[in-house]
Amino acid sequence: MTQNRQYPRYLTLKMGQITGEELVRDCAVLNVSRGGACVLVSDIESLPETFSLSFDGDTRECAIAWRERHRVGVAFTDGELDESALPDPQALRTAERGDDVLRVAELFLRGVHAYTEQQLELFDTVMHHLLDNTTDSAMAQLSVRIAPVQRAPVKVIHRLAEDDDIAVSGPVLERSPILAEDFLVRIARAKSQAHLFALAGRIMVPEKVTDVLVERGDTAVTHRVAANDGALISRGGFQRLAGRARQDEELARHIVHRRELPADMFAALVRLVAEPVRQQLLRDPDPDVRRRMAQCMLPTTAADEEAPSRTPARTRPTEADRDESTAKLRSQLVAAARDSRLEETVDTLARLTKVPAEAIRNLVRLGFEDGALVLCKAAGLGWPDAKSVFTVLMTRNARVDYKAAFDRYITFSGDITERAVRYLKARKSPSTTEFRRML
């Protein structure tokens, strides 16, 4: 391959389009000179020798000078570019250094929200192949830049996530919203403790992933899981954590602050930890932790002796009693919604679903429709009543598509609803991005 550098090259980073006879193809113009350009395309083999190239508001007739993987060098056959059409001369130095994949990433990030699916696929294909000849340093920089992007190139993200170098994979494993649960489980089962630590810091960690993290993770990993409100921990996961907390005071403190920790496991953990830790927890700033601690540490015999003198013995509520109470709350909820009483609707929905009212208010503030629908589902509402509650919660949304809302509502299974509610219980300020991934 011979690349003619008769003219100096200038970095452009522009989206373009190749057209010809029965040919229309998106491309990216990496750099340009007076006599030609370097163009990135997903498939260079099927390109004809001549075609039209449109970019930056101009169309040039071109002939291919060289081909290399996904890059094509073209010569302008309809005359040289005028000096005024070239970029700032300062761009010349930039065009002669750096890594191709980072330059393409810069172009990608500039217009990621406006690109079509075909353009996104082009970037994914080109960047994925450019990684073959990319330095570790450039890959690490790329990982940091594209990790949080919602429309990130899928193949590139997965390749970075599987890299053994944690500087490359870490940012993606911790921050990318497009990695699926099964993929995260596979990484958690196979990779190093550094990879597990990155996974433990995700804004939302599914139960299947936390189970593996708790099973395989070292002390740093388990501490990060237990301290992460967005990590959904199964009962089995809590049991493993409690067993490790016997000799780990800091881990014990993280666990007792988990609001979804079952009462029996809370009590069992309190019995396991050392006395100084118990005394510290009794003075914890969180009143809920202090209350639960006091209940756990009250001697059983003393409670039995004092109960008759305080109040008559009470029987536990029957299932019928609980059903009646739930039905009453549902009636109150629907009545409040039909009267457009937002605050009462939120408070009653919080009591019915056991989700903090603050979390529900945040969903209302965000206008997050799926969150409101899941809560209606968790409250056991049929669609007519759910629609009333949903309407009140989404009062800030000027346009609500009720048909689309109904279509989503009937697809929420019991497992999905339970998982979403557990997430809302653990996070008062839910991430809409992570929440959607659970639905």
Side-chain angles (χ1 to χ4, degrees):
M1 177 199 71
T2 301
Q3 297 186 18
N4 187 351
R5 297 192 181 180
Q6 178 180 356
Y7 303 102
R9 298 177 300 161
Y10 296 82
L11 185 69
T12 53
L13 298 180
K14 301 285 186 180
M15 287 303 298
Q17 192 172 71
I18 293 173
T19 56
E21 187 176 351
E22 298 183 355
L23 172 68
V24 177
R25 185 171 302 173
D26 290 319
C27 65
V29 182
L30 182 61
N31 59 61
V32 65
S33 72
R34 289 181 60 187
C38 177
V39 181
L40 299 171
V41 292
S42 58
D43 178 15
I44 67 172
E45 298 302 326
S46 60
L47 284 181
E49 289 300 316
T50 60
F51 51 78
S52 299
L53 172 64
S54 301
F55 69 99
D56 207 18
D58 189 18
T59 299
R60 307 296 307 217
E61 297 303 317
C62 303
I64 293 180
W66 53 265
R67 303 174 190 242
E68 180 190 44
R69 297 176 64 81
H70 290 275
R71 300 193 302 172
V72 177
V74 300
F76 299 144
T77 59
D78 54 357
E80 297 179 356
L81 284 180
D82 187 83
E83 289 286 350
S84 63
L86 293 173
D88 189 310
Q90 285 295 111
L92 172 62
R93 291 195 298 272
T94 309
E96 296 294 343
R97 66 172 184 244
D99 193 283
D100 277 352
V101 74
L102 294 179
R103 299 207 294 263
V104 176
E106 181 180 344
L107 174 57
F108 167 76
L109 293 170
R110 284 181 187 178
V112 61
H113 299 296
Y115 292 144
T116 65
E117 291 302 318
Q118 291 75 18
Q119 289 172 329
L120 292 176
E121 184 179 354
L122 165 67
F123 276 107
D124 196 9
T125 301
V126 172
M127 292 170 67
H128 186 264
H129 283 277
L130 288 174
L131 288 177
D132 289 341
N133 299 309
T134 299
T135 64
D136 290 343
S137 174
M139 290 179 68
Q141 294 178 59
L142 176 66
S143 180
V144 170
R145 298 195 65 184
I146 70 171
V149 178
Q150 182 68 39
R151 303 184 76 200
V154 176
K155 290 187 291 187
V156 172
I157 285 288
H158 283 78
R159 179 164 174 179
L160 295 173
E162 292 181 303
D163 201 284
D164 289 335
D165 186 348
I166 193 61
V168 174
S169 57
V172 171
L173 291 176
E174 184 170 341
R175 302 179 65 194
S176 175
I178 69 174
L179 296 177
E181 181 178 297
D182 290 345
F183 177 84
L184 296 176
V185 169
R186 180 161 61 83
I187 293 294
R189 291 194 182 281
K191 293 294 185 178
S192 72
Q193 293 297 318
H195 291 74
L196 270 59
F197 186 81
L199 291 173
R202 290 178 65 83
I203 193 170
M204 198 284 289
V205 189
E207 276 188 9
K208 290 182 180 179
V209 180
T210 57
D211 281 345
V212 181
L213 296 180
V214 172
E215 178 184 347
R216 290 195 63 226
D218 58 15
T219 299
V221 172
T222 53
H223 281 213
R224 200 176 199 199
V225 168
N228 183 356
D229 288 339
L232 304 180
I233 304 176
S234 67
R235 186 175 180 85
F238 273 125
Q239 289 173 338
R240 291 190 185 91
L241 286 172
R244 298 179 69 161
R246 183 194 298 267
Q247 305 296 330
D248 190 332
E249 297 178 4
E250 183 179 351
L251 180 58
R253 283 193 289 270
H254 287 317
I255 297 172
V256 298
H257 281 85
R258 306 283 308 197
R259 296 186 183 277
E260 77 276 27
L261 179 65
D264 61 324
M265 300 194 71
F266 186 102
L269 179 62
V270 170
R271 289 194 296 270
L272 283 174
V273 299
E275 181 61 26
V277 179
R278 283 196 289 268
Q279 294 304 318
Q280 290 176 18
L281 293 174
L282 283 169
R283 298 187 296 272
D284 194 274
D286 189 331
D288 186 58
V289 172
R290 296 198 303 270
R291 176 185 59 79
R292 298 181 78 179
M293 284 295 302
Q295 290 175 343
C296 290
M297 297 184 69
L298 182 67
T300 304
T301 54
D304 292 341
E305 291 172 359
E306 293 177 15
S309 63
R310 292 195 302 268
T311 57
R314 293 182 295 178
T315 58
R316 299 183 63 179
T318 65
E319 185 174 347
D321 292 334
R322 288 192 293 270
D323 290 344
E324 182 178 354
S325 175
T326 299
K328 185 177 179 180
L329 280 176
R330 285 199 191 105
S331 297
Q332 293 174 356
L333 172 65
V334 175
R338 289 176 177 170
D339 290 340
S340 299
R341 300 193 301 269
L342 176 59
E343 286 303 314
E344 185 176 341
T345 300
V346 169
D347 291 338
T348 308
L349 187 59
R351 292 172 59 194
L352 194 56
T353 61
K354 303 297 190 297
V355 171
E358 182 180 345
I360 300 178
R361 290 189 180 94
N362 283 329
L363 290 177
V364 172
R365 177 177 55 80
L366 294 169
F368 185 33
E369 294 186 3
D370 285 343
L373 291 172
V374 163
L375 289 172
C376 291
K377 196 79 168 186
L381 302 179
W383 176 244
D385 291 338
K387 182 179 178 181
S388 299
V389 175
F390 174 71
T391 300
V392 174
L393 296 179
M394 294 295 103
T395 51
R396 296 188 179 186
N397 284 16
R399 298 177 181 177
V400 174
D401 186 341
Y402 288 105
K403 183 181 183 305
F406 171 74
D407 291 340
R408 296 200 303 278
Y409 190 70
I410 62 176
T411 63
F412 293 154
S413 66
D415 290 342
I416 289 175
T417 302
E418 181 180 354
R419 185 164 65 246
V421 167
R422 288 187 59 185
Y423 174 72
L424 290 174
K425 287 180 179 179
R427 297 184 67 85
K428 292 182 180 179
S429 299
S431 162
T432 56
T433 298
E434 294 296 335
F435 192 93
R436 285 192 181 94
R437 292 182 57 204
M438 292 184 287
L439 302 180

